[in-house]
Amino acid sequence: DIDAGLSLRPLPIRLRSFTGRWNEHLDVNELNWVTMSEVNNEYFEIERSFQGSPFDKIAKISGQGNSNKEVSYAIEDKFIDINGTYYYRLRQVDFDGSENYSPIVEIKVDRSSFNDIKIYPNPSVGQVQISVKVNIGEKVEAKLYDNTGRLVLNSIIDAVSDGSELNSVI
């Protein structure tokens, strides 16, 4: 017997698949993964990145510990308020603290643009109320021009929507 310093350790999990999709009807990102086997698997952390930002932990799911059968996992990410590309990865952690990462899953969320703009009363001799509601994260700019196309008021509304109604009185 010769000890060459080589220590073979079984892989903590055999990941069969890791998939995700945007469920438009429920407005959630659905993530699913299947393991073929697990060895000393304590838990999974699901990490998310939006538009290439650093990954953040959004959930923790207990593993099976040791298993030689197929195990399915699923989670819904409901915090996807802004249109864009969401990236997900699994961080698998063993009982001894060692970790491994899955390949990255990309999900594009692209809701139809929602615009609700009200200007009232119309006609008006005095004040006019402007009310604008659009998707979260959309830039809103309102300016007032006269009937010749000359700019009368700049930056009546100049904001990024947080989903609530933006109001201004002229």
Side-chain angles (χ1 to χ4, degrees), residues 48-109:
R48 175 186 61 210
S49 166
F50 178 69
Q51 303 282 102
S53 64
F55 279 93
D56 291 316
K57 176 180 126 180
I58 62 166
K60 182 177 176 179
I61 306 287
S62 295
Q64 294 293 308
N66 295 297
S67 172
N68 285 321
K69 62 180 181 172
E70 213 173 80
V71 179
S72 297
Y73 297 88
I75 189 170
E76 292 180 348
D77 183 6
K78 299 176 183 177
F79 301 100
I80 56 166
D81 297 329
I82 302 173
N83 284 344
T85 305
Y86 292 83
Y87 300 94
Y88 296 91
R89 67 183 181 189
L90 297 173
R91 177 176 170 251
Q92 182 274 319
V93 181
D94 285 356
F95 288 113
D96 68 4
S98 55
E99 62 186 19
N100 289 292
Y101 287 92
S102 72
I104 294 173
V105 168
E106 177 182 320
I107 302 174
K108 184 162 176 73
V109 174

Side-chain angles (χ1 to χ4, degrees), residues 79-153:
F79 301 100
I80 56 166
D81 297 329
I82 302 173
N83 284 344
T85 305
Y86 292 83
Y87 300 94
Y88 296 91
R89 67 183 181 189
L90 297 173
R91 177 176 170 251
Q92 182 274 319
V93 181
D94 285 356
F95 288 113
D96 68 4
S98 55
E99 62 186 19
N100 289 292
Y101 287 92
S102 72
I104 294 173
V105 168
E106 177 182 320
I107 302 174
K108 184 162 176 73
V109 174
D110 188 17
R111 296 172 193 87
S112 299
S113 186
F114 169 78
N115 295 321
D116 184 20
I117 302 168
K118 298 174 190 158
I119 302 173
Y120 56 92
N122 185 12
S124 174
V125 178
Q127 291 185 341
V128 175
Q129 175 82 27
I130 299 175
S131 173
V132 179
K133 187 167 184 178
V134 296
N135 289 336
I136 294 173
E138 289 190 23
K139 175 86 170 143
V140 177
E141 292 181 344
K143 300 175 183 179
L144 180 65
Y145 294 88
D146 66 14
N147 60 353
T148 66
R150 185 175 51 95
L151 180 64
V152 177
L153 285 173

